[in-house]
């Protein structure tokens, strides 16, 4: 039975991973006493005696944890931004290609994708891969998320007993166009320029809808029907699936997959203006669900084990 340690169990993602793993009988969950949670030597020992380590930490702390590991057999699943563009690490989105899946399966270092980035990459990677758009294409991305994506501090702000009128409407952020997911979005898709990125947080707990609009002039001779076929051929698993119909009376709801670990891909619009859309839970396929899926691949078990799909 594999031993699993979560470094950073108290954070939003770490807690969700802990809750999922605590119900499983096929792994042994290693736990530190509360007073040892930030003790470097206690963490060092746990990190070097486990089989699989989840890092649910800020970037600098995740890099520090990797530096503590001397046991070359320990497999690391890092949920931070720190290693997502490192070519020596596997990028943990197996649905992108057989090569991505194989690298995850055989790697000791796996970077779990970012929440906003997961949606953008799921939409753009297949089109660049198929030659439907050029890597030089200038793109825009809108991403609507629930407030749990901001971690404990933002959750407390929204759920505080004292109402704040500023939190009642959706709020756009990342206004300087320096969001930490941009490097990942560019590197993994293979595009040559960062997209114009508009992340928006709204007053609901979890769920995410990422939209990439395209004009006909941005396409390399393909039609909206061709794009649908590209996604249908790429995404047809229980976890990531292209869907022909939204079925919500002309609307698309961003929190429909809250507390679910799957992802839905949609294409709407017309031949002149096309909307590419990816819907999922920012805490599911956008965080802890993706981390658990990658662990399942490492274990050689059913990828859906412990997931809600």
């Amino acid at each position: 039975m594999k031993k699993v340690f979560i470094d950073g169990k108290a954070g939003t993602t770490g807690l969700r991973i802990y809750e999922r793993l605590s119900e499983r009988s096929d792994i042994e969950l290693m736990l530190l006493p509360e007073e040892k949670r930030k003790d470097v030597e206690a963490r060092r020992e746990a990190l070097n005696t486990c089989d699989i380590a989840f890092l649910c930490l800020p970037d600098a702390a995740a890099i520090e944890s990797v530096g503590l590991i001397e046991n070359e057999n320990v497999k690391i699943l890092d949920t931070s931004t720190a290693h997502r563009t490192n070519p020596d690490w596997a990028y943990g989105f197996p649905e992108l290609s057989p090569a991505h899946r194989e690298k995850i399966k055989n790697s000791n270092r796996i970077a779990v994708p970012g929440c906003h980035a997961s949606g953008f990459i799921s939409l753009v990677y297949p089109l660049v891969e198929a030659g439907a758009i050029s890597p030089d294409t200038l793109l825009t991305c809108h991403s609507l998320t629930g407030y749990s994506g901001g971690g404990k501090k933002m959750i407390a702000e929204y759920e505080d007993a004292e109402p704040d009128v500023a939190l009642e409407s959706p709020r756009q952020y990342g206004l300087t166009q320096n969001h930490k997911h941009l490097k990942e979005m560019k590197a993994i898709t293979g595009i040559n320029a960062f997209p114009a990125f508009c992340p928006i947080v709204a007053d609901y707990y979890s769920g995410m809808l990422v939209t990439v609009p395209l004009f006909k002039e941005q396409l390399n001779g393909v039609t909206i029907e061709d794009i649908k076929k590209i996604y249908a051929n790429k995404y047809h698993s229980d976890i990531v699936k292209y869907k022909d119909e939204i079925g919500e009376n002309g609307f698309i709801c961003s929190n429909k997959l809250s507390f679910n670990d799957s992802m839905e891909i949609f294409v709407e619009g017309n031949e002149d203006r096309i909307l590419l859309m990816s819907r999922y839970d920012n805490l599911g396929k956008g965080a802890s669900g993706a981390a658990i899926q990658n662990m399942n691949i490492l274990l050689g078990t059913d990828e859906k084990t412990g997931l809600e799909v």
Side-chain angles (χ1 to χ4, degrees):
M1 185 177 294
K2 299 296 185 182
K3 296 180 179 180
V4 178
F5 174 62
I6 306 170
D7 197 5
K9 182 174 75 69
T12 307
T13 299
L15 183 59
R16 286 289 295 271
I17 292 173
Y18 167 74
E19 291 170 346
R20 295 161 182 266
L21 296 185
S22 62
E23 299 177 353
R24 291 180 59 160
S25 60
D26 60 330
I27 58 104
E28 178 185 344
L29 194 55
M30 298 175 61
L31 300 174
L32 293 179
E34 181 61 26
E35 65 272 14
K36 295 282 189 180
R37 184 167 60 86
K38 295 185 178 181
D39 184 280
V40 174
E41 292 309 314
R43 290 171 49 233
R44 185 196 304 274
E45 181 178 356
L47 287 166
N48 281 285
T49 54
C50 68
D51 296 296
I52 298 173
F54 287 94
L55 307 184
C56 302
L57 302 162
D59 289 6
I63 293 169
E64 177 191 57
S65 289
V66 173
L68 295 175
I69 300 175
E70 299 172 346
N71 182 350
E72 61 182 18
N73 295 317
V74 174
K75 298 182 184 296
I76 305 170
L77 290 150
D78 182 12
T79 68
S80 82
T81 310
H83 300 100
R84 291 176 187 159
T85 59
N86 186 331
D88 295 330
W89 286 60
Y91 188 72
F93 202 127
E95 292 83 5
L96 292 181
S97 74
H100 282 85
R101 183 177 298 276
E102 194 65 18
K103 189 170 182 179
I104 294 166
K105 182 179 178 180
N106 296 301
S107 180
N108 282 2
R109 302 287 184 271
I110 299 168
V112 179
C115 56
H116 293 291
S118 293
F120 179 81
I121 291 166
S122 70
L123 297 170
V124 175
Y125 180 94
L127 300 190
V128 175
E129 178 188 43
I133 61 173
S134 166
D136 291 327
T137 305
L138 298 179
L139 298 172
T140 298
C141 176
H142 297 269
S143 186
L144 180 60
T145 182
Y147 58 76
S148 59
K152 285 188 172 182
K153 182 178 179 181
M154 184 174 285
I155 292 171
E157 289 175 350
Y158 274 91
E159 297 184 352
D160 193 284
E162 294 296 327
D164 183 345
V165 67
L167 305 181
E168 293 177 358
S169 69
R171 296 184 297 160
Q172 186 166 314
Y173 62 105
L175 304 180
T176 63
Q177 290 298 301
N178 287 311
H179 193 283
K180 65 180 182 178
H181 288 182
L182 281 167
K183 291 181 181 179
E184 174 186 358
M185 293 158 75
K186 176 175 177 284
I188 303 302
T189 58
I191 56 177
N192 294 328
F194 294 123
F197 182 41
C198 306
I200 301 166
V201 61
D203 187 10
Y204 65 96
Y205 185 74
S206 71
M208 182 166 273
L209 176 66
V210 175
T211 302
V212 176
L214 289 176
F215 288 98
K216 177 181 180 180
E217 291 76 12
Q218 293 174 288
L219 303 176
N220 290 336
V222 299
T223 67
I224 187 171
E225 294 303 319
D226 293 328
I227 292 174
K228 291 177 180 179
K229 289 177 183 177
I230 290 170
Y231 288 143
N233 290 331
K234 172 72 72 175
Y235 300 129
H236 44 75
S237 72
D238 290 332
I239 298 178
V240 182
K241 181 178 294 185
Y242 166 73
K243 300 186 73 173
D244 285 318
E245 299 288 341
I246 296 174
E248 296 174 24
N249 298 317
F251 295 85
I252 181 165
C253 159
S254 57
N255 68 345
K256 188 173 182 178
L257 294 181
S258 181
F259 292 97
N260 191 284
D261 296 303
S262 61
M263 174 182 280
E264 298 173 338
I265 306 294
F266 302 97
V267 179
E268 293 292 331
N270 52 55
E271 290 296 344
D272 295 318
R273 298 177 307 283
I274 301 170
L275 297 179
L276 315 175
M277 293 173 286
S278 181
R279 178 166 64 182
Y280 50 104
D281 186 356
N282 53 286
L283 297 180
K285 183 60 172 171
S288 62
I292 297 295
Q293 180 188 4
N294 280 285
M295 185 194 77
N296 290 336
I297 293 173
L298 289 176
L299 294 175
T301 190
D302 187 325
E303 285 181 39
K304 296 180 290 182
T305 302
L307 301 183
E308 293 291 334
V309 295

